[in-house]
Amino acid sequence: KVAAMQGRFHYYEGYSMEQVTFPLYVLKALGCKALLVTNACGGLNPRFQPGDLMLISDHINILPNPLIGPNSEELGLRFPDMSQAYDKGLQQLARASAEELEIDLKTGIYSYCKGPSYESPAEIRSLRMLGADAVGMSTVPEVITARHMGMRVLGISCITNMAAGILDQPLNHAEVMETGRQVEKKFSSLISRIVENW
Ligand code: HPA
């Protein structure tokens, strides 16, 4: 059984971390055991190009942690482990599904930035030094919350543009939306196949 969310809440919209992650608590209460999370993001790794899909192998969180505040031991640990936030078995399942569809699925580390302004070239250079392959404005709070509650997590990003300063051209939201539209079919067929192979 699958519960699908139509969109999400972002921190940059002015929602608190509690509001951003509230749907995860609802999904858990509905009985969800795993989370398949997707996003649009900017590419830092020079081997990536707009339109690529990237399996998230790990993340970098430099924002307020969504678990700050009182903890309910019923839901999860006070200090949850993030050493394997993205489930190895589900990553393997995603790779096999991509292979079946002959989709070139990249792998990389997703870094979370607040937004809503895109990052500066200097910020992107720093994130690259930290080991990031992609940058976006979502996903990490939801993943931390899901892991807190013991849900298995699979994350897939769509590289909609190269991050600021990687190419000698300004970023614009229209490019991000346009790449998203172009990739829609490939992305949704991969997600469907992953769900079928689950
Ligand atoms: N940076 C942050 N978030 C994004 C980007 C980006 O370059 N592209 C799509 N979401």
Side-chain angles (χ1 to χ4, degrees), residues 40-42 118-119 135-137 160-161 163 171 176:
C41 65
Y118 288 115
E119 304 70 34
V135 62
M137 306 174 192
T160 51
N161 57 285
L171 262 65
V176 170

mmCIF file of all heavy atoms in Angstrom, residues 40-42 118-119 135-137 160-161 163 171 176, ligand 1:
data_model
loop_
_atom_site.group_PDB
_atom_site.id
_atom_site.type_symbol
_atom_site.label_atom_id
_atom_site.label_comp_id
_atom_site.label_asym_id
_atom_site.label_seq_id
_atom_site.Cartn_x
_atom_site.Cartn_y
_atom_site.Cartn_z
ATOM 1 N N ALA A 40 13.994 18.312 -6.542
ATOM 2 C CA ALA A 40 14.749 18.962 -7.625
ATOM 3 C C ALA A 40 15.941 19.628 -6.957
ATOM 4 O O ALA A 40 15.816 20.158 -5.856
ATOM 5 C CB ALA A 40 13.880 20.007 -8.299
ATOM 6 N N CYS A 41 17.100 19.589 -7.590
ATOM 7 C CA CYS A 41 18.271 20.202 -6.954
ATOM 8 C C CYS A 41 19.278 20.660 -7.991
ATOM 9 O O CYS A 41 19.164 20.355 -9.176
ATOM 10 C CB CYS A 41 18.910 19.207 -5.986
ATOM 11 S SG CYS A 41 19.575 17.781 -6.818
ATOM 12 N N GLY A 42 20.275 21.417 -7.505
ATOM 13 C CA GLY A 42 21.348 21.886 -8.373
ATOM 14 C C GLY A 42 22.519 20.922 -8.302
ATOM 15 O O GLY A 42 22.796 20.355 -7.243
ATOM 16 N N TYR A 118 18.953 31.234 -4.385
ATOM 17 C CA TYR A 118 19.912 30.186 -4.729
ATOM 18 C C TYR A 118 21.233 30.532 -4.053
ATOM 19 O O TYR A 118 21.462 31.668 -3.634
ATOM 20 C CB TYR A 118 20.075 30.105 -6.253
ATOM 21 C CG TYR A 118 18.865 29.503 -6.939
ATOM 22 C CD1 TYR A 118 18.081 30.263 -7.816
ATOM 23 C CD2 TYR A 118 18.497 28.181 -6.712
ATOM 24 C CE1 TYR A 118 16.971 29.721 -8.445
ATOM 25 C CE2 TYR A 118 17.384 27.624 -7.331
ATOM 26 C CZ TYR A 118 16.633 28.398 -8.193
ATOM 27 O OH TYR A 118 15.534 27.853 -8.804
ATOM 28 N N GLU A 119 22.121 29.560 -3.962
ATOM 29 C CA GLU A 119 23.391 29.752 -3.287
ATOM 30 C C GLU A 119 24.294 30.669 -4.106
ATOM 31 O O GLU A 119 24.126 30.809 -5.312
ATOM 32 C CB GLU A 119 24.088 28.386 -3.091
ATOM 33 C CG GLU A 119 23.252 27.362 -2.344
ATOM 34 C CD GLU A 119 22.046 26.848 -3.130
ATOM 35 O OE1 GLU A 119 22.133 26.720 -4.364
ATOM 36 O OE2 GLU A 119 20.997 26.596 -2.498
ATOM 37 N N VAL A 135 22.770 20.192 -4.382
ATOM 38 C CA VAL A 135 22.264 21.086 -3.336
ATOM 39 C C VAL A 135 20.789 21.400 -3.595
ATOM 40 O O VAL A 135 20.382 21.600 -4.734
ATOM 41 C CB VAL A 135 23.117 22.381 -3.275
ATOM 42 C CG1 VAL A 135 23.050 23.168 -4.583
ATOM 43 C CG2 VAL A 135 22.702 23.276 -2.114
ATOM 44 N N GLY A 136 20.021 21.405 -2.505
ATOM 45 C CA GLY A 136 18.598 21.700 -2.652
ATOM 46 C C GLY A 136 18.008 22.242 -1.366
ATOM 47 O O GLY A 136 18.718 22.394 -0.360
ATOM 48 N N MET A 137 16.719 22.559 -1.423
ATOM 49 C CA MET A 137 16.066 23.266 -0.307
ATOM 50 C C MET A 137 15.012 22.403 0.400
ATOM 51 O O MET A 137 14.028 22.924 0.926
ATOM 52 C CB MET A 137 15.402 24.547 -0.835
ATOM 53 C CG MET A 137 16.343 25.468 -1.606
ATOM 54 S SD MET A 137 15.464 26.847 -2.317
ATOM 55 C CE MET A 137 16.710 27.517 -3.433
ATOM 56 N N THR A 160 18.220 19.625 -11.800
ATOM 57 C CA THR A 160 17.485 20.471 -12.747
ATOM 58 C C THR A 160 18.373 21.545 -13.368
ATOM 59 O O THR A 160 18.011 22.143 -14.380
ATOM 60 C CB THR A 160 16.295 21.156 -12.050
ATOM 61 O OG1 THR A 160 16.768 21.782 -10.862
ATOM 62 C CG2 THR A 160 15.198 20.163 -11.716
ATOM 63 N N ASN A 161 19.515 21.794 -12.736
ATOM 64 C CA ASN A 161 20.420 22.853 -13.217
ATOM 65 C C ASN A 161 21.784 22.613 -12.589
ATOM 66 O O ASN A 161 21.894 21.891 -11.607
ATOM 67 C CB ASN A 161 19.893 24.233 -12.763
ATOM 68 C CG ASN A 161 19.740 24.294 -11.246
ATOM 69 O OD1 ASN A 161 18.808 23.716 -10.680
ATOM 70 N ND2 ASN A 161 20.669 24.954 -10.586
ATOM 71 N N ALA A 163 24.647 24.055 -10.238
ATOM 72 C CA ALA A 163 24.590 25.029 -9.138
ATOM 73 C C ALA A 163 25.378 26.292 -9.498
ATOM 74 O O ALA A 163 26.208 26.286 -10.424
ATOM 75 C CB ALA A 163 25.129 24.378 -7.870
ATOM 76 N N LEU A 171 21.587 31.570 -12.674
ATOM 77 C CA LEU A 171 20.534 30.558 -12.493
ATOM 78 C C LEU A 171 19.180 31.213 -12.658
ATOM 79 O O LEU A 171 19.031 32.377 -12.304
ATOM 80 C CB LEU A 171 20.589 30.038 -11.051
ATOM 81 C CG LEU A 171 21.315 28.733 -10.789
ATOM 82 C CD1 LEU A 171 22.784 28.900 -11.088
ATOM 83 C CD2 LEU A 171 21.137 28.339 -9.333
ATOM 84 N N VAL A 176 14.887 25.635 -14.048
ATOM 85 C CA VAL A 176 14.637 24.551 -13.092
ATOM 86 C C VAL A 176 13.295 23.879 -13.417
ATOM 87 O O VAL A 176 13.201 22.644 -13.495
ATOM 88 C CB VAL A 176 14.646 25.119 -11.642
ATOM 89 C CG1 VAL A 176 14.161 24.079 -10.643
ATOM 90 C CG2 VAL A 176 16.044 25.619 -11.277
HETATM 91 N N1 HPA B 1 20.043 25.199 -5.428
HETATM 92 C C1 HPA B 1 19.143 24.919 -4.466
HETATM 93 N N2 HPA B 1 17.980 24.344 -4.702
HETATM 94 C C2 HPA B 1 17.694 24.007 -5.972
HETATM 95 C C3 HPA B 1 18.577 24.268 -7.023
HETATM 96 C C4 HPA B 1 19.827 24.889 -6.737
HETATM 97 O O1 HPA B 1 20.672 25.153 -7.617
HETATM 98 N N3 HPA B 1 17.975 23.814 -8.158
HETATM 99 C C5 HPA B 1 16.767 23.284 -7.783
HETATM 100 N N4 HPA B 1 16.582 23.405 -6.459
#
